[in-house]
Amino acid sequence: MSHLKRLIHEIHRRSVWQVIGIYLLGGWIALQVVETLVDSLGLPEWFPAFAVMLLIVGFPIVVATAFVQEGVGGGGGAAPAPVGTGVREKPRPSETIPQVPASSDLARGTGSLDRPSTRPPRLLRLLTWRNAIGGGVLAFALWGVLAAAWMGVKVWVDRELRPADEPLVGGTAMTSGSERLKSIAVLPFDNLSTDAENAFFADGIHEDVLTQLSRIGDLTVISRTSVLAYRDAATPLAEIARQLDVGTILEGSVRRSGDNVRITAQLIDAETDRHLWADNFDRALTAANVFAIQTEIAQRIADALAATLSPEEEDRLVRRPTEDLDAYLASLRGREAYRLYTDGANNEAIRLFRLAIDGDASFAEPWAGLSDAYGQRVIRYGYGLEWADSSEAAARRALELDPDLATAYKALGLAQGARGDDVASIESNLRAMELDPNYSDPVNNAGVSYQRLGRHDDAFRLMSRSYRLQPNLAFARANAAFGYALLGDFDIAHARLDEALRFDPTDPDTRLYLGFLHIFEGHADAGADVADDVLEQDPNSIFFLAWAAEANLFARRFDVAAELAQRSLELSPDQDVVGWRLAGLTGGYALLREGATEAGNELLDDVLARRMADWERRPEAAVVPFEIASVHAARGELSPALDWLEAAYEAGWRYPFYVEHDPVFDAARDDPRFQEILGTMREDVERQRLTIEREEARAGRR
């Protein structure tokens, strides 16, 4: 026991505890520095462990040195005096070091000392503070040499394997690599359920996961419409990534069995085929669990890609839209029906959205879906404008329930656009884009509204962004291509439309754009032929009938134009869409040219009454005064026609290539005032064209 007391006394006397504390604190600081260097320099994960090993090896050496050297600043190597013996603790130097006479040979360095040596043992001579500190410095110098060597090898590999035009900064590739990974395509999830009816459930989970990721502004997420093209394709991942211009691919599957669901997901670096993250989720089938899985997948992917999330984005990711599973499933089915874009499917979508609302009236998403379906009744299916009012009411109810719901703002913008309130529509769509930066629908819809306001340069920028989010979709390419046409860059427009048609030769919107490009160039017969071909795809489409009637009017095929317009009106007598010429005006003018004056004027009277009422309600819609001008021009009333044409220009009508070839204005063609208005339109469009040309040249796209 006396030996233990003596040891404890010596540990205290030699300040060993203080040395241990200082060592541990210094070691902790060293490890923090190491961790920072590993993160900033991209060093391997085993480098911190190597530093910890050095600290562990050094610990007993430092403790032993502290004991031998009597703590921090200790000096002697003499044996300690026994406790309680009364012996002096620090002997005088003359008692330990022999004194050599100045006259002796040893003093002159020539003699020898015959008495025994008093030097400590070799091991004790090594345990000095100088050696301990020097050893620590050498150990961490070794760590630094290894780190530098590893970085040197990495730089060599990067230099040899990276693309020749990829710049290097600080010995490693710039952030282009990490930024590349932050562009992602979420491929359709496989339905592994035994019941094929559950395919809609797998599609819904896929869309919701994509939407969750889309809300992260630091990621670029390709739109759902673009990735659906790869549902059943055997295209290699690297090729998909090349076609969509992304760095990562997310694959997944859904298995629904009874009251359980299993969702798998794996994130892959498309360039290296390396798995960045993968996981399985087995849960009871409840709405809460489904949303929790979607949130966790989005969060894990954001972590894997080092994406930065704002507090608002984090909050939106963890929200639970509903606790009612049946309401959620009905909403999924409603979205599936809505995207078929037929009148019958749209009516089924309305039924399903209402069913979801009946299940949970506080569930905002089906309210937004209902708003979309009501809005499409006006825009696509020829219903009256009262449905735009219903669409806005449903969208505002969705926003009352969830003020940050991007789909609700997009639906509100659709309703406002259907009524011709393009300024409000742009504001709503821009808000949707803020909430969901990768949501392509509001990007495209805001572009359409900018076009109707005559701001073709702003429209073009948005259409180009929409195309970036949907690179393999003919419709998106066609929208961007038609932007060139509206700016007067006809050659580029043709080239881009040809690209779109190679993606999908039957896409009706692309072909209609091609038809009107022919008309803008003065080749009206070619434009009408294209419109007639499109109509054969769906002979009962109110939308296609109206466009084909208009194209045939430009080609001076007045009998065909009158017949197609009449068919459109029979299917939808109350059609009142502000985005394109009313079938009544096309048919009325065509009938006048065919000599059916009474029938023609009857249709024109109806159009004039509608548009004058519209002018009272929405004077900001440029197409309204243009249609009024067209009615007067059709009847040869040039002075009011030009007054209203000026009003249309002031409201934003900037379609000089359309007006130039419009047969309705044949009687005004040589009028100086008409030519002046047309020339002003051309000048405005040319200024916008030059702006876009300069921007594209700076960006290297021209």
Side-chain angles (χ1 to χ4, degrees):
M1 193 68 179
S2 62
H3 293 293
L4 179 59
K5 288 181 178 180
R6 185 183 305 167
L7 177 62
I8 295 174
H9 174 83
E10 289 303 311
I11 289 175
H12 281 291
R13 188 176 69 81
R14 296 168 187 268
S15 304
V16 175
W17 295 120
Q18 292 93 322
V19 171
I20 292 174
I22 294 171
Y23 185 82
L24 293 177
L25 177 62
W28 179 82
I29 294 173
L31 288 178
Q32 301 310 304
V33 174
V34 167
E35 290 284 356
T36 301
L37 291 175
V38 167
D39 291 339
S40 61
L41 299 179
L43 299 175
E45 295 180 357
W46 56 267
F47 267 72
F50 181 54
V52 171
M53 182 190 72
L54 292 177
L55 290 171
I56 292 173
V57 171
F59 181 76
I61 297 174
V62 169
V63 171
T65 301
F67 196 88
V68 171
Q69 299 296 330
E70 301 191 14
V72 181
V83 177
T85 61
V87 179
R88 294 191 305 269
E89 293 186 359
K90 189 172 184 180
R92 292 190 299 271
S94 61
E95 295 177 336
T96 57
I97 303 176
Q99 300 300 306
V100 181
S103 60
S104 70
D105 292 336
L106 282 174
R108 295 190 296 269
T110 58
S112 63
L113 188 63
D114 294 331
R115 64 183 294 174
S117 173
T118 59
R119 298 178 66 192
R122 182 182 301 273
L123 177 61
L124 297 182
R125 292 202 307 271
L126 292 175
L127 294 176
T128 66
W129 284 117
R130 177 182 296 176
N131 290 345
I133 294 172
V137 171
L138 288 175
F140 274 90
L142 174 62
W143 185 93
V145 169
L146 289 176
W150 185 89
M151 289 180 61
V153 172
K154 183 177 184 296
V155 169
W156 181 85
V157 171
D158 286 344
R159 193 178 300 279
E160 293 298 317
L161 299 182
R162 67 181 172 88
D165 59 347
E166 183 179 327
L168 292 177
V169 173
T172 58
M174 284 178 58
T175 56
S176 57
S178 60
E179 291 303 314
R180 175 185 63 82
L181 293 177
K182 288 182 181 179
S183 57
I184 181 172
V186 184
L187 298 186
F189 284 15
D190 293 330
N191 174 36
L192 302 183
S193 307
T194 55
D195 185 357
E197 284 292 316
N198 282 320
F200 85 94
F201 181 67
D203 288 344
I205 297 296
H206 163 252
E207 181 178 358
D208 284 345
V209 169
L210 189 152
T211 299
Q212 288 282 62
L213 291 171
S214 178
R215 291 171 176 157
I216 302 174
D218 199 26
L219 299 179
T220 298
V221 184
I222 299 301
S223 75
R224 176 181 180 274
T225 45
S226 282
V227 297
L228 286 180
Y230 303 100
R231 181 193 297 278
D232 300 315
T235 311
L237 293 185
E239 178 60 19
I240 294 175
R242 187 194 66 78
Q243 292 177 7
L244 299 179
D245 192 21
V246 297
T248 51
I249 302 286
L250 181 69
E251 294 183 313
S253 64
V254 179
R255 183 186 299 276
R256 180 182 174 188
S257 179
D259 295 330
N260 295 290
V261 62
R262 177 182 176 86
I263 299 175
T264 67
Q266 53 184 355
L267 184 67
I268 302 167
D269 182 338
E271 186 176 286
T272 64
D273 204 32
R274 179 170 60 98
H275 282 62
L276 303 175
W277 167 79
D279 209 344
N280 300 318
F281 303 88
D282 292 284
R283 308 278 173 83
L285 182 55
T286 66
N289 282 342
V290 168
F291 295 132
I293 293 171
Q294 295 167 3
T295 297
E296 187 170 347
I297 290 174
Q299 290 173 331
R300 297 285 294 278
I301 290 173
D303 290 342
L305 299 181
T308 302
L309 276 71
S310 69
E312 293 79 9
E313 289 171 340
E314 291 179 347
D315 180 61
R316 287 196 291 270
L317 283 184
V318 300
R319 292 181 186 177
R320 304 288 183 265
T322 182
E323 298 296 328
D324 190 311
L325 181 63
D326 290 334
Y328 173 66
L329 296 178
S331 183
L332 291 185
R333 288 188 179 276
R335 290 190 307 205
E336 183 181 48
Y338 170 80
R339 290 197 180 89
L340 295 176
Y341 293 115
T342 67
D343 192 13
N346 196 63
N347 290 334
E348 175 64 7
I350 290 172
R351 184 189 72 81
L352 289 165
F353 288 136
R354 287 173 173 165
L355 183 63
I357 292 169
D358 289 341
D360 182 358
S362 65
F363 185 13
E365 188 62 46
W367 282 105
L370 190 64
S371 172
D372 267 334
Y374 286 161
Q376 293 294 359
R377 277 188 164 180
V378 180
I379 293 173
R380 287 180 178 267
Y381 311 123
Y383 290 66
L385 276 176
E386 66 275 8
W387 288 102
D389 298 334
S390 299
S391 175
E392 179 168 349
R396 294 199 181 280
R397 177 56 181 156
L399 290 172
E400 288 175 6
L401 296 169
D402 185 350
D404 293 331
L405 187 61
T407 53
Y409 276 106
K410 174 260 184 182
L412 177 60
L414 191 70
Q416 293 162 333
R419 286 202 306 266
D421 190 354
D422 288 305
V423 173
S425 179
I426 288 170
E427 291 176 354
S428 297
N429 281 304
L430 291 181
R431 178 57 180 153
M433 292 158 57
E434 289 176 4
L435 294 167
D436 189 343
N438 295 286
Y439 190 9
S440 59
D441 288 357
V443 178
N444 180 78
N445 292 351
V448 171
S449 286
Y450 273 126
Q451 285 177 350
R452 295 204 297 236
L453 291 172
R455 294 169 57 176
H456 300 308
D457 49 352
D458 289 319
F460 180 85
R461 295 182 187 100
L462 286 176
M463 293 302 187
S464 297
R465 177 177 173 183
S466 178
Y467 162 59
R468 171 66 185 90
L469 296 172
Q470 307 172 95
N472 66 336
L473 195 65
F475 173 73
R477 284 177 179 259
N479 278 339
F482 196 59
Y484 284 112
L486 293 176
L487 290 167
D489 275 326
F490 297 149
D491 290 341
I492 300 177
H494 269 296
R496 297 294 183 266
L497 285 173
D498 287 345
E499 292 174 1
L501 288 171
R502 283 197 292 272
F503 268 88
D504 185 355
T506 64
D507 180 65
D509 296 295
T510 305
R511 297 170 71 199
L512 283 173
Y513 283 146
L514 177 60
F516 272 92
L517 176 56
H518 287 315
I519 290 171
F520 289 175
E521 294 176 304
H523 308 309
D525 284 333
D529 290 343
V530 172
D532 291 343
D533 288 342
V534 172
L535 182 59
E536 290 182 4
Q537 292 182 224
D538 188 355
N540 294 316
S541 166
I542 299 163
F543 184 76
F544 292 161
L545 280 167
W547 277 65
E550 192 173 356
N552 278 278
L553 184 74
F554 274 79
R556 274 68 175 176
R557 302 174 186 173
F558 298 118
D559 55 340
V560 177
E563 189 268 330
L564 294 176
Q566 188 61 41
R567 282 172 54 191
S568 177
L569 290 168
E570 288 173 356
L571 290 171
S572 177
D574 297 325
Q575 59 183 269
D576 192 8
V577 179
V578 298
W580 35 278
R581 173 166 279 174
L582 292 179
L585 198 155
T586 300
Y589 179 70
L591 288 171
L592 290 183
R593 294 296 296 262
E594 286 290 285
T597 306
E598 183 178 353
N601 277 318
E602 184 177 343
L603 288 177
L604 292 177
D605 286 341
D606 180 68
V607 171
L608 187 59
R610 285 175 179 269
R611 287 315 195 199
M612 289 304 295
D614 289 339
W615 177 252
E616 294 295 325
R617 290 183 298 165
R618 46 191 181 188
E620 70 283 348
V623 72
V624 172
F626 179 74
E627 291 271 78
I628 297 172
S630 298
V631 171
H632 287 296
R635 289 171 166 167
E637 302 163 352
L638 295 188
S639 181
L642 296 179
D643 288 343
W644 282 103
L645 186 60
E646 281 188 347
Y649 169 76
E650 293 297 331
W653 187 266
R654 303 287 191 278
Y655 296 92
F657 314 115
Y658 181 102
V659 177
E660 180 181 4
H661 301 292
D662 188 352
V664 171
F665 288 92
D666 278 350
R669 193 77 54 207
D670 297 327
D671 188 286
R673 190 178 170 198
F674 175 83
Q675 289 297 328
E676 182 182 355
I677 297 171
L678 184 61
T680 304
M681 288 185 191
R682 280 185 171 275
E683 289 172 3
D684 285 353
V685 171
E686 178 63 11
R687 281 194 292 270
Q688 296 180 48
R689 188 193 70 78
L690 290 174
T691 298
I692 294 298
E693 182 179 301
R694 286 192 293 268
E695 290 178 6
E696 292 204 304
R698 284 195 297 267
R701 292 192 292 270
R702 290 210 189 188

